[in-house]
Amino acid sequence: MEKYDHKQIEKKWQAEWEKSGVYRADESADGSAEPCLDTRLGRGIERPKQYVLDMFPYPSGEGLHVGHPKGYIATDVYSRMKRMQGYNVLHVMGWDAFGLPAEQYAIKNKVHPRAAVERNVVRYKDQLLSMGLDYDWSREINTTDPEFYKWTQWIFIRMFEKGLAYESFEPINWCPTCQTGLANEDLEGAVCERCDTVVEKKPMRQWVLRITDYADRMLVDLEKVDWPESIKESQRNWIGRSEGAEINFKIKGSREVITVFTTRPDTLFGATYCVLAPEHALLVELKEHISNWDEVAKYCEDTKTRTEIERTAEGREKTGVRLHGVSVINPANDGELPVFVADYVLGHYGTGAVMAVPAHDERDFDFAKKYELPVVEVVQGGDVSTSVFIGSGALVNSGKFDGEKNEEVKKKITDFVKGRWVTKYRLKDWVFSRQRYWGEPIPIIHCEECGVVAVPEKDLPLKLPQVDSYTPTGTGESPLALIDEWVNTVCPKCGGPGKRETDTMPNWAGSSWYYLRFIDPHNDRTLVDREKEKYWSPVDMYVGGAEHATRHLIYARFYHKFLYDIGVVNYEEPFMRLQNVGLIIAEDGRKMSKRWGNVVNPDDIVAQYGADTLRLYEMFMGPFRQSVAWSTESIIGPRRFLERVWRMKEKLGEVGDMGAGEVVLQNSIKKVGDDIESFGFNTAISTLMILVNEMEKLEVVPRSAYETLLKLLAPFAPHLTEELWSEMGNKGSIHLSLWPTYDPAKCVASEATIVVQVDGKMRGQVVVPADADEGVVKGIALANPSVSKWIIGKSIKRMIFVPRKLLNIVLEEV
Ligand code: ANZ
Ligand code: ZN
């Protein structure tokens, strides 16, 4: 009997699929009134569309390691099942190739970024192809392709026309290492996300997108999407909507007022001082009144280089300076209060000024202790002489409001002092300028006569010029500023001399809308055909890392809503379902990285064990969302499993039935389908393993049962199943065959949840078929990383098994 030889099978089928185009999306329904039909059962049934998408990669110089494809394999399994179930599937791949990493790689390796990207794309694509992924490669896109970034620039111009892209001169985050301005989303705490350098605040001219205009819709529409709750919650926090009051405090002896923003107007009677942010414009206006101006001015100057994260860090010692000669009147009780400047109050949130209530606000409490300011309790329930009280309770020291519940007087007190009830957001406008070479040029021309003018649409794409030196200038200008022939141009409005904008876009620009271009990748008239878009959008299933929660996923939703408003797209949200992929970490428990020398290259695994084994292993390692450690040793398990499926063909018979195993078969059809649908790939695979155990007990394996097994396994092991399917004499690809259906009557709900103990301590739970024996339960339990981590490296002495309930694994003593 010939052995399972992945080397022969895999390359052969990859070439065959490429030739026959099995994974091409059916375009017959694109932009036409005709539905797309499934005729596999003879009569035509309408095929619903299914758009499955991966967060497309930046093709790095190092190529893929085994951690990268985990998400791609998952969407591949998912889209294969969907295709077999009769969906018209769109599953696509492209390259997010602009941005700092590509540029830094190019500088380090002394190649032009374009050449580096081209080379890396070839390598990435080869690697993905070797894994048998079912992408429709006829739709491949690359964000650095002028035909693509023409539309990235086009969107910018539309935003500019609507007043959503504007020039600003405010201090922004500046990374001294990367030598570029950055958005808040590019920071990890106080440091640059790319290079870990502490960022500075630097005043400079830049382009900014008015994402805050969409804050509310982005918040409300989270209800419309089926995303992990944790991701929705990070977006809610990032957007940071807060309701509260704006209240005016009159400045004594002046006509000016300090307007504060507070979410706790109920504590107004307990305010004992006010604080202005160092950036607050009133400070300069009050200069005449401030007797210690020099001290104040120095404090403000010193604040400039400190980031917000630093300023608001919990537990950081509070600092500030009192404004001598300035005081304000509390509108609730006419009390006279001192005023400070302190950097724990931020210039860009609320009104840049607060009323401080030390009894009920942590930061104010710390500050008041340090500067010996009074603490006045107004909400009962704690002991404010020793600690701050932030709970709720009845009011005291609050005039006519005494005795009322604090929660209920917020609006009443606001009205009492003629305040305004308002909504504020933490989200900031998006700093969109980068002073780097490798990005989309911002399509703007500066003219002395006309001001800022957009590049006319007919001149798009505005191509990135070839340069000799693309290293940053260090002056805060992009390298493009050094190319006179490029900078000097004609104003499209008046024909006079103009200068091109030299900043480029951030690497998030292309990824904010790329998913639309896959729908219509070769359209040179519009970004995407509206009818095609209507058919394919929104993305039904989107898979990628959770680290994108407050970056790419915020930006893309903003872009999408804008495109909706200008009539480019038909739906308000881009991604209906989202699944987060857990990391694969290295065997040593660290992140896989060249730096640690612990990288496993998928090419080696594919060569030695085959792509099908790699795929099965990655889906079996543990729950999809969790991070798991790679173990080259464990790959042999999935490989042996495939060999067993391969050998089973020797026992095939045309007739015969599964006998008692029929229930297992029926259950497996249901469970594998349900599990793939919910991204429970590891349990789908255990189900298949149980089914194979059952089938191996038979003298003769019925052909129909074997075919069902192959179909259920096909999404995970597409090459092996295709080979066996064709050997059995079937016409056409197994990947276009009908997904098996089950008979609910024959499929008893017979599962049991078994508690797994190691040396008597509970280490996990596994779901198994109710009649599973000790061996089966052991196999499933050991596949569970939370159990196996207690066992690795030790030997099992004996096991105590209580059917349907418990498995206790007792280890040898060491
Ligand atoms: C008085 C007060 C009393 C406050 C109290 C809180 C508790 P969120 O929920 O994040 O919106 N605040 C307002 N503007 C600020 C700024 N620019 N920089 C720093 N802090 C600022 O927080 C709103 C609260 O944060 C406001 O309510 C204000 O302090 C402070 F017992 O006002 B509060
Ligand atoms: Zn940096």
Side-chain angles (χ1 to χ4, degrees), residues 100 104 175-180 182 192-197 199:
L100 266 181
Q104 281 161 345
C175 173
T177 306
C178 298
Q179 301 202 8
T180 182
L182 296 170
C192 167
E193 186 238 348
R194 284 227 44 80
C195 70
D196 286 348
T197 308
V199 297

Side-chain angles (χ1 to χ4, degrees), residues 714-734:
F716 296 99
H719 309 88
L720 170 119
T721 51
E722 186 79 305
E723 175 73 15
L724 292 167
W725 177 258
S726 113
E727 252 181 48
M728 289 171 80
N730 289 297
K731 294 264 169 319
S733 169
I734 190 171

Side-chain angles (χ1 to χ4, degrees), residues 611-626:
D612 284 343
T613 298
L614 172 71
R615 296 166 56 107
L616 199 65
Y617 173 65
E618 293 213 357
M619 293 297 97
F620 190 52
M621 288 174 82
F624 181 67
R625 293 162 201 82
Q626 277 176 24

Side-chain angles (χ1 to χ4, degrees), residues 242 261-264 267 346 349 354-355 360-361 363 426:
S242 267
F261 171 65
T262 177
T263 48
R264 296 290 307 276
T267 63
L346 303 172
Y349 184 64
V354 308
M355 65 179 209
H360 305 294
D361 181 278
R363 294 161 297 180
R426 291 239 158 239

